[in-house]
Amino acid sequence: MQAYHACISFVDTQIAIVLDALKKSGHWDDTIIVFTSDHGYHLGDHFLWGKVTLFDIGAKVPFIVRVPGMTKGGTRSEAMVELVDIYPTLAHLTGLNPPKHLQGMSLRPLLDHPDRPGKKKHAYSVVTRGPKLGYALRNQRWRYGKWPDGEELYDLTQDPEEKNNLAGNPGVAERLQDFRTLLTQKQKEAAAQKMLIR
């Protein structure tokens, strides 16, 4: 853990070097900055050390966007966004036409109005664990996960640390079925986009 935190401190220092260079070069006010990274390790959460899970702690990543004259420091958005949204967002901000087959959507409407709910109702994740694929859908309240050998459903309002899997609870059977249907639809959309690229 000490080495992990040392690595984060080192990365923070490198980011400061880049930002300082932008200011010194005179490009601070004409450069769009997008900061993101891979997600971190569990570090013991859920009795896991590494990654490759569908838990929120293993799917969320840092994501900061600064657009001179548009974004305001210190603001936050609770909208559902995905990393596939970066390309169309940068294309939109720079006046370029992105390819039609992109899965993401521009986040431009959220940048100067972070209080907006956003257009996406769910964030979609896919992870590989050996030969197995795991899929997840998350909205503001729920996270649904599906592995070849089981399902997960967590109420993030009541259980933000995702300790109580509700997938076997008869009281959420209808919600579980809704997520199954949504996941099948999302997988079909992703497969269709993949076919367009070929």
Side-chain angles (χ1 to χ4, degrees), residues 55-148:
F55 292 114
D56 233 23
I57 193 173
K60 283 185 171 180
V61 298
F63 188 56
I64 301 171
V65 180
R66 180 186 183 274
V67 182
M70 185 179 299
T71 55
K72 294 178 183 151
T75 57
R76 298 171 55 96
S77 173
E78 294 297 322
M80 292 285 112
V81 301
E82 302 168 296
L83 293 180
V84 293
D85 298 328
I86 294 174
Y87 186 164
T89 301
L90 290 175
H92 189 170
L93 290 170
T94 56
L96 300 173
N97 292 318
K100 300 286 185 205
H101 62 74
L102 296 181
Q103 293 180 38
M105 63 176 57
S106 174
L107 303 177
R108 165 61 185 89
L110 294 172
L111 295 178
D112 54 355
H113 294 284
D115 54 321
R116 288 179 175 168
K119 292 183 179 179
K120 289 187 179 182
K121 301 256 191 252
H122 300 88
Y124 175 59
S125 301
V126 182
V127 297
T128 305
R129 184 186 291 162
K132 298 178 182 177
L133 288 178
Y135 302 90
L137 284 175
R138 185 203 194 281
N139 63 22
Q140 295 291 1
R141 179 170 177 182
W142 300 89
R143 187 185 65 75
Y144 169 72
K146 180 165 177 37
W147 292 97

Side-chain angles (χ1 to χ4, degrees), residues 103 184-194:
Q103 293 180 38
T184 300
Q185 179 183 337
K186 186 65 178 174
Q187 288 171 319
K188 286 179 181 175
E189 289 171 9
Q193 293 289 350
K194 191 174 179 182

